[in-house]
Structure formats: structure tokens, C-alpha cells
Amino acid sequence: MTTLAKAHPNIALIKYWGKQHTAGNIPATPSLSITLDTLTSTTRLNTAAQDSFTLNGSLVDDPKIAACLAILREQYEIPPLVVVSDNNFPTAAGLASSASGFAALITAINHHCSLEMSQAQQSAFAREASGSAARSIFGGYVGLSQPDWVAKPLLDAELWPLRVVIAITDERPKSVSSTVGMQRSQESSPFYPTWVADSEADYLQAETAVAQQDFAALAQLAQASCLKMHAVMQSSQPPLIYWNPATLACLERIREMQDTGLEVFFTIAAGPQVKAVCTAEFEAEVTQALANVAGVRRTLTVGLGTGATIDDT
Ligand code: DP6
């Protein structure tokens, strides 16, 4: 019997960057994200004689996937599994493929092995595998914060259907992974303590902005969180500079659009792609503007989607 699960990547508007010095991959900062539609990780599971993982058609030996299974097996009876996972979007290029991948994997295992975990429990296991994956268990607007550090849904996608234009400026995998980058920032950025100290207030204000569907407030908070995180990254030793000239050119173009009254704001993860979040009214204009920025290879325009699901068909 094959089990098939799907999950979508999410984009953090309030960023997670840094970990607490405890077990369980607990973030040092709360985060708030939107789960996307259209971009999908599809994971198929079968019981087999031994574990194997195929990602986008290639057999992989990924310690994070092996660790995820080992943690689950500490608590549950799970047979050897053949895992085949495919993303319909570039892997490891700042588009959170690990988030959707682990959310789909945990969801598939939960169903395949009849573990009967709640979504909160699945989110906790997804977080242990990759912090951002905790959020892809849920759709729409999602928070990940203390005290329990499992994700929780904040607002349904349909209630505030913002759009996201992704400007892809480089399709190659990023040079330094988030896990390694965070540790470097924690050990070396002089701004890291301030980043962590301010994060709770930033998160709570963003929660309010989402609850009130206050675009201007969310725009200001999201851009500030993104730039603070990149200031921490760039002030790490050796520096983590994920941007390229096209990344900066996109920010400039978005600022020009904001100056003419368009409802749009930017965010950037640990990679060079720029995500422009806008209201549906301005989607076409923002897409065209970013497609015309020098160095932008292509754009993807997506909406907000659902949490991880089992595909029974
Ligand atoms: C910049 O979730 O990939 O995208 O927990 O070490 O796997 P690990 O890190 P990961 O980091 C995401 C970093 C970010 C911000 C965010 O998604 O909140």
C-alpha cells in the first residue's frame, strides 16, 4: 500500500533565525508565516526491507531525514520505509523545500503507520527536523512561538487571500544552509542578542496585524524583520551575504511601487530570491514589474494554500 502526502512551502514574514541551547531544535525567535499554494512537495511512502530516500529522482543520503525517522522511532513502531519525494519548484534555493518536504514526510508517516498524531504533534516532529517545517503542517497564516513551539493556525487563507510574487534571481542551491548560518550568526554577530531580544515584540505585533488584516502594519513589520535578520547574517563572521545585485534591484523596484501607493512588501529568506507579498488588486502589476528587473530569471505568482494533506485518490 502506497501512502501519498502533499505539503506546500511557507514564507516567514517574521523570521526564525537562531536556536535555543536545548534539545528539540527549539527556535530562539518566534516566527509567523504564510503557507503557499501551487508549489508542492509530494511524498510517497511504502513499507520495504530497508529505508531509502529518493528526492527529485536521485537517491539521497540525507542525515536530516535519517535523524527525523530516528526521532519518530524512539516513540513509535515504524517499519523500514521507501520514501520518494518530489518538489515542483527549485530545491534549496530559499524557497523552503525542506519545510514542505518534512511536513509531507511526517504527514505521510503518520497516516501510513496509523500513528494518530494530532496536527500539533506532527508540527513538533516537523520542527525537530527543520524549524520552518513545523509551520507547513498548517495552511494560511501560521505562528510558531513559545511556550510549546508547535505551530498554530492564525487566520485562514480565504479570509485574507494575499498573493505572493517570487522573483527568482538564481536557481542554484544556497551556499550556506540555514542550520549552519544560524549557528554562525549566534556565535559571531554582534547584533544577534538584540535580534533575539526584540523578536517577541515583533511577533506579537505581527499577530495583531494578521488578526486585523492590517496590510500596512504587516508590511512594515515583515520588511523590518527581514532586514534585521539579514543585518545579523551580514554581520556574522565570515559574513553571510545571500543577496545578489538582482535581489537589491527588486527591493528598489518594490520601494518605487510602494511610493506610488501599491500595496506590496518584500521578504527574503536565506537565499537570493525576493518574495513580494501584495493584494490581489496589484498582482499583475507587481509580477510584470519584477519580471522586468535586470537579473530576474523568472517569476512565480502564487496564492496562499492549505496545510499538509493525505491524498487518498
Ligand atoms: C531564513 O527551518 O531551514 O527561512 O531548523 O536549521 O532546519 P533549521 O532551519 P530552517 O530555517 C529557516 C530560516 C529562514 C526563516 C524562516 O523560515 O523563519
Side-chain angles (χ1 to χ4, degrees), residues 220-287:
Q220 189 268 321
L221 290 159
Q223 291 192 169
S225 175
C226 166
L227 292 177
K228 274 198 258 186
M229 179 184 75
H230 282 275
V232 169
M233 292 164 161
Q234 291 174 10
S235 57
S236 303
Q237 272 317 321
L240 293 160
I241 301 175
Y242 287 107
W243 301 357
N244 61 31
T247 312
L248 215 45
C250 287
L251 297 199
E252 181 61 13
R253 193 69 193 84
I254 290 167
R255 199 177 55 75
E256 284 168 9
M257 288 190 275
Q258 289 171 332
D259 287 349
T260 64
L262 265 68
E263 282 187 312
V264 58
F265 66 85
F266 65 79
T267 189
I268 310 162
Q273 332 303 0
V274 176
K275 289 95 175 188
V277 181
C278 62
T279 50
E281 185 188 346
F282 299 115
E283 168 188 336
E285 211 172 324
V286 171
T287 302

Side-chain angles (χ1 to χ4, degrees), residues 1-278:
M1 192 196 78
T2 303
T3 299
L4 201 156
K6 291 182 186 242
H8 304 292
N10 69 77
I11 290 177
L13 304 182
I14 298 295
K15 304 290 191 186
Y16 147 50
W17 193 253
K19 299 173 194 284
Q20 295 186 27
H21 298 289
T22 47
N25 196 33
I26 309 286
T29 63
S31 54
L32 186 151
S33 61
I34 44 180
T35 302
L36 305 179
D37 61 10
T38 330
L39 310 178
T40 308
S41 291
T42 303
T43 299
R44 286 179 181 73
L45 273 193
N46 275 301
T47 303
Q50 61 176 54
D51 286 338
S52 74
F53 312 109
T54 303
L55 180 59
N56 294 329
S58 306
L59 214 56
V60 291
D61 187 9
D62 185 332
K64 277 196 163 185
I65 303 176
C68 174
L69 271 174
I71 290 170
L72 280 164
R73 285 185 173 129
E74 282 170 15
Q75 288 191 33
Y76 297 102
E77 199 68 37
I78 297 172
L81 296 170
V82 170
V83 181
V84 177
S85 192
D86 292 289
N87 300 325
N88 68 350
F89 59 99
T91 298
L95 280 168
S97 58
S98 65
S100 48
F102 280 115
L105 178 64
I106 305 278
T107 302
I109 294 175
N110 181 51
H111 184 82
H112 190 78
C113 304
S114 306
L115 306 184
E116 296 185 3
M117 286 193 265
S118 66
Q119 282 184 303
Q121 285 172 304
Q122 292 177 63
S123 176
F125 279 110
R127 186 207 63 234
E128 290 213 34
S130 184
S132 52
R135 302 183 308 236
S136 274
I137 294 290
F138 296 101
Y141 298 77
V142 180
L144 176 61
S145 67
Q146 60 176 1
D148 50 4
W149 298 101
V150 297
K152 59 174 185 206
L154 299 176
L155 185 72
D156 284 350
E158 311 83 70
L159 293 177
W160 198 17
L162 294 179
R163 306 289 295 171
V164 183
V165 181
I166 302 169
I168 298 185
T169 64
D170 190 338
E171 308 234 11
R172 290 170 298 180
K174 60 191 166 216
S175 47
V176 180
S177 74
S178 296
T179 310
V180 171
M182 281 181 202
Q183 180 157 6
R184 190 186 293 179
S185 293
Q186 216 151 339
E187 287 164 357
S188 62
S189 168
F191 304 142
Y192 184 79
T194 316
W195 158 251
V196 174
D198 290 355
S199 63
E200 179 74 12
D202 292 348
Y203 171 79
L204 291 173
Q205 286 180 57
E207 251 196 15
T208 304
V210 166
Q212 297 176 345
Q213 299 177 29
D214 182 340
F215 188 90
L218 188 61
Q220 189 268 321
L221 290 159
Q223 291 192 169
S225 175
C226 166
L227 292 177
K228 274 198 258 186
M229 179 184 75
H230 282 275
V232 169
M233 292 164 161
Q234 291 174 10
S235 57
S236 303
Q237 272 317 321
L240 293 160
I241 301 175
Y242 287 107
W243 301 357
N244 61 31
T247 312
L248 215 45
C250 287
L251 297 199
E252 181 61 13
R253 193 69 193 84
I254 290 167
R255 199 177 55 75
E256 284 168 9
M257 288 190 275
Q258 289 171 332
D259 287 349
T260 64
L262 265 68
E263 282 187 312
V264 58
F265 66 85
F266 65 79
T267 189
I268 310 162
Q273 332 303 0
V274 176
K275 289 95 175 188
V277 181
C278 62

